[in-house]
Each structure stands twice: as C-alpha cells, then as structure tokens.
Amino acid sequence: MDLKITELSATSASIRMDIACFSEKVADLDQRLSTVEDHIGMLPGHDAELLSLRGKITDLEDRSRRDNVRFFGIPEKKEGIDINLFLKSLLPELTGLTFSPPLEFQRVHRVGPPRSISSGRPRPIIACFLRHEQARQVLLKARSQGPFLLEEQEIRVAADFSKVTNEKRKAFLALLPQFSICGRGNLICHLKCPEEMYFPSTINIEKVGGPCPYYD
C-alpha cells in the first residue's frame, strides 16, 4: 500500500511539473502572439512609408536618366569600332539639327548581348549626353518630326526611364481608344483636345475653352 502511494505521489509530481512547463510555454506563446499582433497593427503605416520610399527612389532613378536618349532601329555593326564617334557624326545628319558646342557624350553603348546582323531586330543604342540641352533638342525634334530615316530604315528616338516609370507609361495605352491620330503623330482625343506626355508619366489634356483633368 505504501509503495503504491509513493508511486502515485511521484506520478502526481511529474504531472504537476509537466503542467507547469506547459503553462510557461503557453505564456511564452501568448507573449509572442501579442508581439506579432502589435507588428501587424504597425504594417499599414510601414506600407505607406515603403510606398513613399519606392516613389522617391523611382524619381531619383528617372532624374539620373534625364541625359539619356535611346535610339531604336540602327542596324547592328553600323557603328563600326567607335560607336561614340559614329553617333556624333550621325545625329546632325539624321535630325537636321546644328549643335553648338559640338556634341559630346559621357558614354554610348548598345543595350543587351551582342547579336549578328541577321539575327533580327537590332539592339537599341543608349547615349548619355554631356549636355542636357542637346539631349532635349534631339527628343523634341523626334517628337515633332516622328521617326527619322537612315538608308530607308526608320530610326525611333525615346527618352530613357526606369522600369517602374516605363510600366506606368505603358498603362496609358489603355486610353488610346479614346484618341485619334493627327498628322504630326500627336494624340487628339474625341473632344479635339491636344495631348502631351510630361515627365515622367503624366498626361495633361487641354481643350478649347479650358483644361481637362490630368491622368496619371
């Protein structure tokens, strides 16, 4: 009888120890759950802050690219061994512009891995102009004139933007059904509103008699 009582007492003590250990684990889990809930409650504020920071980073990246101009359609190998010198001599002829002082670039290169002449569409050329005013001259000329011609090959010119901004600008394509094309290639909406795309991704629409809303 005494032996059974002793065994029961030992078993009871062991159970009490297990319950105490379990209680500690439950208390620890409660504390962790409370911490997680606190963090979750802070997420909306963090999301807004993260979105703001992303916007600032995108804006900084776009501004760092404002001296860049992309050229599409120039055949592979056309530049020879000196792409910098090639573009300096090509642009006055291609655009009809006179550059004073003479054109200078910080760097010029093709985008992407090398391709053969027969491999299809040529890689774009991106040029970082030393003078922002000259980059703007080329872009304005391309906007007013449309694609340039090089040996009967269309050469398109575009500003250089970050990936995020390019995706936003592409989203404006959804608005195209509301517009028609005029002779200069500008977009005219059904209300006959002249339209222009501003840096980096805002459309300003004005109509005769007053402005229309902004789309961004």
Side-chain angles (χ1 to χ4, degrees), residues 66-195:
R66 295 191 76 173
D67 296 332
N68 294 353
V69 178
R70 288 177 175 258
F71 299 88
F72 301 88
I74 297 177
E76 292 281 340
K77 311 298 183 183
K78 185 71 176 177
E79 64 272 19
I81 60 174
D82 192 337
I83 192 171
N84 194 307
L85 183 61
F86 165 76
L87 206 58
K88 283 182 182 178
S89 62
L90 174 67
L91 284 185
E93 175 187 350
L94 193 67
T95 64
L97 294 171
T98 300
F99 298 97
S100 180
L103 279 174
E104 292 185 81
F105 303 108
Q106 298 183 50
R107 57 192 172 275
V108 184
H109 63 90
R110 286 197 183 265
V111 180
R115 297 178 187 171
S116 65
I117 297 177
S118 60
S119 62
R121 188 169 58 181
R123 293 170 295 161
I125 291 177
I126 183 168
C128 180
F129 284 67
L130 181 62
R131 299 175 181 88
H132 175 71
E133 294 78 10
Q134 292 178 338
R136 180 171 172 78
Q137 273 185 279
V138 173
L139 290 170
L140 289 176
K141 183 70 172 181
R143 180 180 295 173
S144 63
Q145 180 176 319
F148 301 113
L149 285 178
L150 176 63
E151 299 176 358
E152 300 184 356
Q153 176 72 40
E154 281 195 353
I155 308 299
R156 294 183 298 108
V157 179
D160 184 40
F161 296 107
S162 66
K163 181 179 178 181
V164 172
T165 300
N166 273 327
E167 289 175 353
K168 289 182 179 180
R169 292 169 71 89
K170 287 178 182 178
F172 287 128
L173 292 175
L175 296 176
L176 287 182
Q178 303 176 35
F179 296 84
S180 59
I181 305 298
C182 75
R184 295 185 304 163
N186 292 330
L187 294 176
I188 305 297
C189 77
H190 64 281
L191 295 176
K192 304 299 182 184
C193 303
E195 171 275 341

Side-chain angles (χ1 to χ4, degrees), residues 33-52:
L33 180 59
S34 177
T35 302
V36 169
E37 289 175 344
D38 291 340
H39 287 169
I40 290 175
M42 296 167 64
L43 283 179
H46 286 172
D47 286 346
E49 183 179 0
L50 182 60
L51 188 62
S52 174

